[in-house]
Amino acid sequence: MSASTQPDIIRPYGDTTGDGMVQVSFTLPVPHDKRAEGAALQLAAKMGLEPALLVHAKAMGPDFTFFVVYGSAKHLVDLREVTVVEREFPLLTPTEVNKAIKSRLRRKLVVVGACIGTDAHTVGIDAILNIKGFAGEKGLEYYREVKVVNLGAQVLVPELVERARAEKADAVMVSQVVTQRDAHIHNTTTMSAAFREAYPAGQVPLLVVGGPRFEEGSAARLGVDRIFGRGTTPGEVASYLVHALAPTKGAPAKNAPTKNAPTKGAPSTTKEKA
Ligand code: B12
């Protein structure tokens, strides 16, 4: 038991406390018939769901079937073993962000953003950059001390690098929503490698990537400084920019190379702007 009354070991809940009930959906590459339904239940059992009920099965064209299975999970969750990535910077108001940039950077902070590759899902990056913002917060365009250049959808990496150089970008913001065939991973690593190649060591802009399906804590592996996931608000991003690019006097840049150095021989992204 933890200090509170909550137990450390828990199970999912459906009808009665601790019954372990969960619902999963998946598609199998077989036509919809009795054998397909049996196959779905076999999979459920192998996933540790037993007993399991097939609550929905629907043909998806002639060769595929979509299933929903409701069953009792055998697995337990140990809350003591849960690790989370905590936000490493304080949340600032727009006024505080503007003040910090003005007094510490003494010029506008320049942000260049885009959806790269074939990705045309611009709603996420627009939520962060456009003045209309997201979840009741104004986007970065609202911040007086931030210059935003939003390049939109399907931007090629060389185009992004060129524009970042032309604008003397302090930060480059990339959105990746499509994850089919790990497109978000490939596009992000290609982008970070291109920036390291195009810029002298130590002068690469802050590389910030966002999207709903990035793994938390994978920034270093992808060669970027920070990843923002589902539900990110513009205020969080603005606060992070201050933390990384305009920290308080004497404070080390929080995105020091040891923390964010990409793996496997790629040069690090030291920041010297703050
Ligand atoms: C709207 C939408 C579209 C619109 C996009 C319009 C536009 N201008 O953006 C249209 C109709 C064009 C579209 C097309 C397609 N789509 Co679509 N689309 C969606 C949908 C319904 C919503 C996405 C969205 O707007 N979310 C709202 C925003 C606010 O959330 P967000 O993107 O997560 O952004 C937040 C954070 O992630 C973060 N963030 C995101 N980017 C960044 C960047 C930075 C720098 C930072 C700091 C933060 C940040 O901050 C944001 C605010 O909190 C999703 C399903 C869903 N419900 O999510 C499918 C979905 C993303 N689409 C999908 C697919 C497959 C497609 C198509 C391939 C479909 C097809 N066969 O043609 C095409 C691909 C087009 C292309 N070339 O990219 C799949 C992706 C599956 C996968 N595993 O990759 C999804 C998940 C649907 C599904 N379940 O199958 N789509």
Side-chain angles (χ1 to χ4, degrees):
M1 281 281 202
S2 56
S4 71
T5 51
Q6 196 177 40
D8 293 319
I9 308 286
I10 56 166
R11 299 185 71 198
Y13 168 92
D15 303 317
T16 53
T17 307
D19 62 14
M21 297 308 282
V22 299
Q23 184 164 296
V24 292
S25 62
F26 51 88
T27 301
L28 290 179
V30 282
H32 181 204
D33 56 19
K34 278 305 219 187
R35 193 176 66 119
E37 295 189 358
L41 287 173
Q42 186 190 115
L43 178 66
K46 287 182 174 169
M47 290 168 75
L49 300 183
E50 215 166 11
L53 279 175
L54 189 65
V55 293
H56 182 68
K58 188 163 194 322
M60 305 288 286
D63 301 323
F64 296 85
T65 311
F66 174 73
F67 300 97
V68 178
V69 170
Y70 184 59
S72 179
K74 297 277 158 284
H75 313 293
L76 302 172
V77 175
D78 188 341
L79 290 174
R80 293 163 302 192
E81 288 171 14
V82 175
T83 55
V84 291
V85 179
E86 299 284 0
R87 179 164 39 78
E88 71 279 26
F89 52 88
L91 279 183
L92 306 176
T93 64
T95 309
E96 289 169 331
V97 167
N98 283 329
K99 219 170 127 196
I101 295 172
K102 194 167 185 178
S103 64
R104 297 177 206 153
L105 220 55
R106 299 209 172 95
R107 59 172 172 77
K108 289 199 178 197
L109 189 151
V110 181
V111 167
V112 173
C115 274
I116 59 170
T118 58
D119 206 327
H121 293 86
T122 50
V123 178
I125 190 139
D126 288 348
I128 304 299
L129 298 182
N130 290 3
I131 193 161
K132 68 177 187 236
F134 181 69
E137 291 182 11
K138 301 263 197 237
L140 298 188
E141 281 177 357
Y142 171 75
Y143 292 70
R144 204 183 47 237
E145 299 300 327
V146 179
K147 178 185 174 188
V148 174
V149 180
N150 187 350
L151 302 180
Q154 301 190 328
V155 175
L156 299 174
V157 167
E159 232 176 89
L160 178 65
V161 172
E162 199 185 310
R163 191 63 186 270
R165 290 174 75 115
E167 297 286 347
K168 295 193 170 53
D170 296 293
V172 171
M173 305 243 164
V174 160
S175 183
Q176 286 290 272
V177 174
V178 174
T179 59
Q180 289 162 335
R181 293 171 198 264
D182 279 343
H184 62 313
I185 305 289
H186 298 309
N187 288 340
T188 300
T189 49
T190 303
M191 180 274 297
S192 62
F195 272 93
R196 287 193 299 273
E197 204 178 307
Y199 280 75
Q203 289 177 33
V204 178
L206 191 74
L207 301 180
V208 181
V209 176
R213 294 190 185 182
F214 280 103
E215 203 183 313
E216 249 190 8
S218 64
R221 195 161 14 102
L222 301 179
V224 299
D225 294 287
R226 186 70 159 74
I227 284 174
F228 285 92
R230 212 160 15 99
T232 303
T233 66
E236 287 177 77
V237 179
S239 302
Y240 169 70
L241 292 177
V242 168
H243 162 85
L245 295 168
T248 45
K249 218 173 171 191
K254 299 292 189 294
N255 51 348
T258 44
K259 192 173 154 210
N260 291 304
T263 48
K264 277 214 158 163
S268 65
T269 54
T270 318
K271 300 294 167 301
E272 291 175 344
K273 288 173 175 160

